[in-house]
Amino acid sequence: MWPAVLTCSLLVHQPSPSGPTPVVPRWKLPAYFRPSAMLREREGGEFEEEALLAEAYRAKSWPGQRPNRENIKIARRMKAEMKVGEGPSGGPPPASPWEYIGPTNLLNDGNDYAFGPSPVNGRVNCAVYDPFDQETIYAASAMGGVWKSENTGVNWTPLSDSWDQLEMSCIAANPIIQGHFYAGTGDETGSGNYDYGAGIGVMVTKDNGATWTQSGFPGPFSETKIADIVADAQDPARIFVAAGGGDDEWVKLYMSPDEGTTWQVSLNVFAHWYDLDAVTTTSGGDYIWATGKLQDGTLTLRVTTDHGSTWTNVPLPYRGTSSDRLYVAGSKVNPAKPYIYYTGSQRVYAGGAFLGMWSNITGDLPTVSDGVWAQASYNNGLTCFKRTFGGTTDALVVNNCDSYISKDATGTWVAVANGYTGDDTAHVDHHNFTPHPVDPNQFLLSTDGGVTRCIYNPATNTFATVQTSKKLGCTLVTRISVDATVPTGIIAGLQDNGFARCGVDVLNWDNLLGADCGHSAIDQEVPGIQYMMPPNFDKDDEGEGYIWFTSNGWADREELWINTLGEKHRNSPPIVLDPSSQRTMYCATDYLHRYDFVTKQWETKLGNQLLSVEGHVRHLAVAPSDSDRIYTVSGEGEVWMSKDRGDSWAPIHTGTPGLPVESIGHVSVDPNDRNRILVTLEGTGLTGKLWECQNTTAATRVWSDRTGTVAGKMLPVAPAAAIARHPDNPSKVWFVANELGVYLTRDEGKTWEDFTPKGQFPGVAVSDMVAHKFTKTLIVSTYGRGVWKRSIKRLPMPRPWSRG
C-alpha cells in the first residue's frame, strides 16, 4: 500500500543552515565516475576549483582499479557468447519480458531553484534539429544513448538500445544530405576526462536513425571518447571528429572523406580535442575551427580553409590555467572571425581583422554569473548565432551552470535561464546550445534535466523556454528502494535530479529533493515510514549531518540530525533498515550509526570502529535471520563483521584465499544463514566480480570466486554494483547487476546466463536492483535508462535443499 503518497500533499521543508545560503550548493560537483562507481564518495571535503577536485581524484586511485580497455573487451565478448535463457537459439529475439516504468513526467517539489520547470529527465549532452524536418529532434543523452522525437519533444523513441554502450557526447546532422546523422560515443565531459575507458567510435545513420553503422572502432577511436563532430558543408560526405580522454587522452585530429567508411589524419598533432565549428562563407568556402589541449598542457586553436588539407595554428591571447577548456565559435557575420571561451578562467575573446588579433569581450560576465561558475570541465560550450534586430550582428552564448548571452557580442551578458535564482526557467548545468537550422530565434538547450526549447526575443534579449523531457527516458538512477507490497512504489536516487518517487501510476513521478542523490529506505511493514539520504550529508559547519525522514509518505518531513564530527565528508552514504526490526535504521560513513524510530535516538560510531581507513563504507547489510549480525564493505576492499549489533568488529576480508584488493560495492547475507555472504567487486581489474564466504566465523575463512567455470556461461568481469536473491530460493538463485546488465545463476554461481540480452534490454549499466518478495518481480535501476521491471515468478527453480 502507498496511501500517503497518493492522497497527501507535499509540504516542502528546506534545511536551514546557519549563515547565508551559498549561490552554488557545495554538493554541485562534477559527475566524474563510471556508472559502476557513480556513488563513490568525493574525498577531501570541499574544493574551490574543479581542477583541484579532478587532481585529487587522479591522485586517489585504488589498487587494480585503473580502467582497462582489454577488460571491457573481454567482458563484452563474454556477454556476446552467453546463451540467452529463453527463446529459440539463432532466431529473432523473443519479445522483451522487461518493462520500462520511469521516471516519466518527473515533477519537481514545487521549487524551481536549480531544477527549473517540470518535467525533467536525465542528462543530455547535445541535441540537434533535423535540417529537413524541424519538428524532428535528435538527442545524445549522457548514459542513455541516442533519442529521436518527431513532434518537437512531445514523444521520444530510443534509437540505440541495441548498442554495446550508451555513453554519448554529441550528435551532428549533415546539413546537405537528408537523413544523415553522426553520433559521438563516450561521455567526454560528464563521466570523467581522465580516469576511465572510452566510447565505441562514431555511429553513422543514413536513414534518419532507423539503422546505424559503427565507424572508427576498432581503429582511430578505439581508446578515446568523441567530443564533437562537424560536417563540411561544401563537401557533405566529409566529416571531422574531435576526440580525447578515456584510456587514450591524446589523439590526432581525424577526418573521413566518406562519412566514416574510411578515416585519415587531418592534423598530425596529438591533443585532447574539445570543440569544432564549421562556418560557410558567402563565396562558398569553409572555415573549420578546432580547439584542444596539447600534451604539455598548452591550449591550442587551429583553423583550416581547405577542407582539412592544411591547418593554421592561431596564436591565443591568453595561456589559460589547468582548469580551462577552450571552446570556439565562428562568426556568422564574418566567417573569418572566431570567438573563443576559456571555461575555467571565465574569459571570452573576439578575433580581429587578422588571425591572432584579439579583443577581450569578457565584460561583466564574472559579475553577472557570480557564484555559479563552478564546473569548468563539466558544463561548457560556446555558440554564435546571427541576431537580426536593428541590423545584423553576432550574438554569443556561453554555457556553464547557467548559460549567458551577449547580444551583439559586446561583452554585456545576461543569464539565459536565471540559474540558481528560484525562478529558473531551465535545469542548471548546461552542456550545449544548438541553433535551429532555419529560425534564427529558436534553440535547443541540453542540460542535466534533459532538453529545453529556447525561443529568443531579440528585442528584449530574453528567452522563453519549453520543457520537452516528459517522455525522454534517459534518467541516470543510482540506487532504489521499493515498497514491500507495491512493486512500483519506488524511491530512486538520481544524478542531479534528487529523489524520484512513484506510487502506482508509473506515468507520473514526483521529485522529493534536488541534487545528486543515492540511498533511501522504505519500511517494509509500514511503507509510509521512509528515509532519504540528502546529498550534503555531513556538510554542516559544525560537523553534523541529517537524514530526511517521513512517517506519512512525505506528506511532511523532518530532519534526523546526527553528530558526525571528525568524520570524512561524503555524499549520500548508504542506509539500511534491520530486516527483523524495521524500526531500526543504520547509516554508514566511515563509521556506523544507528537510529531507533521508537526512542527517536541516535547511537553514533558503533564500537568506535573505523570501518574504512582511507575512504567510506560503500554498502552494509544486517542479517535477516539475526539482527545482531552486521556486515560493511568499503572502497578499499575491506569487509567488517559485527556479531553484537556493532559493539565490536572484526575484519574478515582476509582468508585462505582472501578477497582481491578492489573496491567492494555490495554485500548480501543469505537469509537462511547469517554466516554466508556474497560481495561484488566494482573495480576494473581482471579478477572475478562476485565472491562468497560460506562461513564468516571460521578460524580460517575461505573466499571463493562465484563467477563460474564453464565457457560461455560465466559472469562477465565487468564491474558489479548489486546483488539480489530470488525470494523462493535465496541460497542458490542469485542476480548480479553490472555495467553490462543483469546476470542470473540458478546453481550458486557455477553457471550464469544473461538476464538482459541484446534485443530485450538496453545496453546500459545496471546500478541497483530489488527482488520483490510479494509479487516475484525484479526491479532494476540503470545509470542512463531509468527503472525497469521483469517478472521472475516462473523461473525454473532448483531444489532449495540441494547445495550440489
Side-chain angles (χ1 to χ4, degrees), residues 49 318 321 323-325 341-347 373 375-377 400:
E49 292 194 15
Y318 170 61
T321 69
S323 66
D324 276 313
R325 293 165 65 98
Y341 158 42
Y342 295 79
T343 60
S345 299
Q346 200 172 349
R347 297 191 185 191
W373 210 266
Q375 302 179 104
S377 71
N400 200 268

Side-chain angles (χ1 to χ4, degrees), residues 128-391:
V128 297
Y129 287 100
D130 185 333
F132 298 89
D133 178 4
Q134 287 82 51
E135 294 293 308
T136 297
I137 300 171
Y138 292 80
S141 62
M143 294 286 176
V146 175
W147 293 73
K148 179 180 180 180
S149 173
E150 297 180 329
N151 48 15
T152 326
V154 175
N155 297 303
W156 291 89
T157 301
L159 303 180
S160 52
D161 280 357
S162 63
W163 298 358
D164 287 339
Q165 180 177 315
L166 300 187
E167 293 102 322
M168 305 299 304
S169 287
C170 59
I171 188 163
N174 191 300
I176 304 299
I177 309 176
Q178 186 170 354
H180 289 214
F181 294 85
Y182 319 102
T185 66
D187 182 19
E188 191 265 338
T189 58
S191 55
N193 300 317
Y194 310 98
D195 291 330
Y196 87 81
I200 53 173
V202 177
M203 303 300 289
V204 179
T205 181
K206 299 181 181 181
D207 53 12
N208 295 291
T211 60
W212 296 80
T213 301
Q214 187 178 21
S215 176
F217 183 97
F221 308 126
S222 293
E223 306 295 335
T224 192
K225 306 176 186 180
I226 309 301
D228 201 8
I229 304 170
V230 297
D232 187 329
Q234 301 306 309
D235 183 1
R238 186 182 301 264
I239 59 176
F240 294 83
V241 171
D247 292 336
D248 194 346
E249 176 80 15
W250 313 108
V251 187
K252 297 176 182 180
L253 194 65
Y254 282 90
M255 180 271 294
S256 172
D258 45 27
E259 296 188 275
T261 301
T262 61
W263 292 95
Q264 56 190 247
V265 174
S266 182
L267 176 57
N268 192 25
V269 174
F270 283 101
H272 184 146
W273 297 103
Y274 296 139
D275 194 25
L276 297 166
D277 195 27
V279 185
T280 303
T281 68
T282 55
S283 60
D286 262 353
Y287 281 81
I288 298 176
W289 305 91
T291 65
K293 180 174 287 188
L294 303 178
Q295 289 174 292
D296 63 1
T298 303
L299 295 171
T300 187
L301 171 65
R302 308 293 174 113
V303 64
T304 180
T305 57
D306 56 10
H307 310 288
S309 295
T310 60
W311 291 82
T312 300
N313 181 35
V314 182
L316 294 172
Y318 170 61
R319 178 178 176 81
T321 69
S322 61
S323 66
D324 276 313
R325 293 165 65 98
L326 186 67
Y327 285 79
V328 63
S331 167
K332 298 305 181 286
V333 176
N334 176 9
K337 176 181 179 178
Y339 297 95
I340 55 174
Y341 158 42
Y342 295 79
T343 60
S345 299
Q346 200 172 349
R347 297 191 185 191
V348 185
Y349 291 86
F354 301 96
L355 290 179
M357 293 180 61
W358 300 98
S359 58
N360 189 328
I361 59 169
T362 303
D364 64 353
L365 180 58
T367 302
V368 171
S369 59
D370 180 41
V372 297
W373 210 266
Q375 302 179 104
S377 71
Y378 179 59
N379 308 313
N380 40 60
L382 177 65
T383 301
C384 179
F385 66 93
K386 189 179 292 185
R387 179 173 180 266
T388 55
F389 183 80

Side-chain angles (χ1 to χ4, degrees), residues 587-643:
C587 165
T589 54
D590 43 356
Y591 292 85
L592 187 64
H593 318 279
R594 180 168 53 235
Y595 179 77
D596 189 306
F597 174 79
V598 177
T599 65
K600 309 295 183 185
Q601 296 295 316
W602 280 101
E603 296 177 74
T604 62
K605 296 187 177 180
L606 300 181
N608 201 33
Q609 176 63 57
L610 187 67
L611 299 172
S612 178
V613 176
E614 297 292 333
H616 307 102
V617 173
R618 297 283 292 126
H619 194 249
L620 68 149
V622 181
S625 61
D626 182 358
S627 291
D628 291 341
R629 185 65 60 87
I630 307 171
Y631 297 92
T632 70
V633 297
S634 80
E636 287 71 47
E638 302 156 289
V639 184
W640 288 82
M641 177 181 69
S642 174
K643 299 179 181 179

Side-chain angles (χ1 to χ4, degrees), residues 86-88 92-98 757 759-761 790:
E86 45 192 88
S96 176
W98 289 95
Q760 295 185 19
F761 193 83
R790 174 177 177 174

Side-chain angles (χ1 to χ4, degrees), residues 462-508:
T462 59
F463 289 88
T465 60
V466 179
Q467 311 311 315
T468 67
S469 302
K470 179 177 181 178
K471 298 181 180 179
L472 180 62
C474 61
T475 319
L476 292 84
V477 186
T478 54
R479 296 290 184 186
I480 56 172
S481 54
V482 183
D483 186 320
T485 57
V486 182
T488 55
I490 297 168
I491 296 179
L494 310 180
Q495 186 265 325
D496 211 20
N497 283 296
F499 281 105
R501 179 190 62 174
C502 180
V504 177
D505 183 4
V506 297
L507 298 180
N508 294 283

